[in-house]
Amino acid sequence: MLRKTLVVALSSALSLGAWALDVPKTTPPKQASFHISNVLTVRVSKGAKKVRVWFAVPQEDPYSTVTNFNVNVDGGYGIQYARDSWGNRVGYVHIENPARDQVLVKEEFDLTRTEVRNTINAAETRPLTDQERAALAAYLQPATHVIVNDEIRTLAASITGGETNPVLAARKLYDWTYKNVNYWVKDPEHLKASPVGSSEYCLRTRTGNCTDFHSLFASLAISSGIPVRMVYGSLLKPTLNGMEVDASYHCWIQFFAPRLGWLPLDASLANIYWEDIPLNDKNKKLVELTTSTGYHGADKDKVEYYFGNLDERRVVWSMGRDLIMQPPQDDGPVNSLPKIYVEIDGKQSADWTRQFTYKELAQRQ
């Protein structure tokens, strides 16, 4: 209940402080528009009695405007919309005694996304007060795969060196994370991501995907007393514009600093741009598709940019970990919802596919 209340109360805080390194203040934030299609196919086992499907829908915030939203479910099944325990709007389909061997959900909408550009002055914030810490307690809690233990606390303390300013401490954690963890796409033959987005896996192997990166960052930040929330979305990459492939998902972090609000960062993309990556036939396409604007070698400006800023080529699907749906699911908390969650006869099912495609729309003059 605390988390749900806080999400509603703080939703306006998505209008962040501001951080714009090396970006002229006279240059307006970039903007892009897209037509987006999400096709979700759930396979139903023979003899199944009850199928329940919760699916991600685009979330609106001060940087995201969604229009022409439409969802169809083959078979004429009804669709409900409700808020989960983190305040995300989620679609829901309930089917008793399904007559078909699959459920097909087709979601379409138009999105206009504005760049998140901020100018952060660490001198304008301060450590959290006890009252603020209590009010933001939901964002200082670990999750199933975002752990806080003595090892994490010791590491966090060694990185921050006792820094209490949340911007300066978060920057130290950001720098450490992108310098000490390697995105698996750099060497796909030897580096792998965890299947769940795990801070423990990321710390042990020093590799992973965006969720592994940011799970570890979240564990370190929570240990340092910095409220955090993980945002799940997708990058709208120019290289996949109009292509009939699944463009997958991406995640990033927001951390809270008093007087500045919620500020974004993307440590996994910072890792891509931190050093030149030796490209070869095995990693070149993967590295390119991991970015939102393309890879052309090391780019220190992008490393600086992704602490406090986000490019305009993103859609937001959900926020948070260990989600409780409405109506509630039967098989325990949902790890995250970048795509879909399915239960068949009360048990989680991974027997589904998604095709996420998009086409960039011309901007109006």
Side-chain angles (χ1 to χ4, degrees), residues 154-165:
T154 299
L155 176 59
S158 72
I159 296 168
T160 61
E163 178 61 64
T164 58
N165 182 296

Side-chain angles (χ1 to χ4, degrees), residues 79-111:
I79 306 168
Q80 302 175 34
Y81 296 96
R83 300 280 175 177
D84 66 19
S85 56
W86 272 81
N88 303 302
R89 186 170 184 253
V90 179
Y92 174 69
V93 179
H94 185 122
I95 303 171
E96 295 283 348
N97 299 313
R100 304 185 179 196
D101 61 1
Q102 69 176 28
V103 178
L104 190 64
V105 180
K106 298 179 180 179
E107 177 181 34
E108 288 190 277
F109 57 93
D110 292 331
L111 168 74

